[in-house]
Amino acid sequence: MRRCLILLAAVGLLWGLAACGEQESAGEAAASGQSIAPAAGAQSDVLVAYFSATGNTRGIARHLQTILGADLYEITPEEPYTEDDLNYSSDGCRANREQNDPAARPAIAGTVENMAEYEVVFLGYPIWWGQAPKILYTFLECYDFDGVTIVPFCTSGSSGIGDSADRLAELAPGGHWRSGQRFSGGASEADVADWVSGLAGF
């Protein structure tokens, strides 16, 4: 019964978000960075796009794919992050250098096919020093999000989503940005489904 209610809520969310976007503007992730169509073969109008350096955000993204029947796209860096790159205790590590450089835009391997056909994008990322990794900035600057409903979500050990989504929204001001959500890396599908069911009222 609970799963049926969740699925019904998810259907309501998709209809509501798409309708909201029209009213306001009349407008398994592969390592290669390619989007994957649903099993039925038809492209969904919902995309879950995410960057995950250690796998935590990937888990949440896959929960969303299951709950929403969405397409899934991994934002994959051309130069993968190594363990040393993510050694935040070192000021000179790659992650810290990028976060401290306003102009940093790490290159992405692959592209989203048919991005223009998506009406809703769930955008996921880990929190690095209170903000989204700069590769998210690259992603947002690569596509036209005018009229697209964007729902951010993040993972972290303790930090909340803070103003990270606000910073991202500045890069795609034509999108209809919704309130984001922070998850722990081990959040269950039920945890994510509870959040999704709460979004149905948009």
Side-chain angles (χ1 to χ4, degrees):
M1 174 63 78
R2 173 181 169 79
R3 183 167 181 82
C4 289
L5 291 174
I6 289 171
L7 290 174
L8 286 172
V11 170
L13 164 67
L14 297 182
W15 183 88
L17 289 180
C20 184
E22 290 170 2
Q23 291 169 0
E24 290 181 272
S25 111
E28 168 104 342
S32 63
Q34 296 300 313
S35 58
I36 295 179
Q43 176 175 298
S44 168
D45 63 359
V46 180
L47 177 68
V48 178
Y50 72 95
F51 167 68
S52 186
T54 63
N56 290 333
T57 308
R58 180 180 297 114
I60 306 302
R62 288 176 175 171
H63 291 330
L64 282 167
Q65 180 193 30
T66 299
I67 294 163
L68 298 170
D71 291 350
L72 194 63
Y73 173 79
E74 181 169 4
I75 301 169
T76 305
E78 280 190 358
E79 181 184 349
Y81 289 89
T82 67
E83 186 175 338
D84 286 342
D85 290 337
L86 301 175
N87 180 13
Y88 307 113
S89 63
S90 170
D91 291 339
C93 81
R94 176 184 171 190
N96 287 341
R97 292 198 313 270
E98 289 176 352
Q99 292 302 91
N100 290 327
D101 180 1
R105 297 294 186 273
I108 296 172
T111 58
V112 178
E113 297 178 3
N114 305 315
M115 174 61 94
E117 297 181 18
Y118 292 106
E119 297 181 4
V120 180
V121 175
F122 282 76
L123 186 62
Y125 53 92
I127 291 291
W128 287 3
W129 293 113
Q131 296 299 325
K134 289 299 180 65
I135 197 168
L136 269 294
Y137 292 45
T138 308
F139 177 77
L140 288 170
E141 291 176 348
C142 283
Y143 303 97
D144 180 2
F145 290 95
D146 284 359
V148 176
T149 295
I150 305 172
V151 188
F153 64 97
C154 70
T155 58
S156 74
S158 58
S159 300
I161 197 167
D163 67 349
S164 64
D166 295 333
R167 297 277 189 92
L168 294 176
E170 293 173 0
L171 302 173
H176 305 304
W177 287 80
R178 304 308 186 206
S179 297
Q181 178 68 29
R182 173 260 175 194
F183 294 97
S184 66
S188 68
E189 184 175 322
D191 293 331
V192 179
D194 284 342
W195 173 56
V196 169
S197 66
L199 294 173
F202 279 77

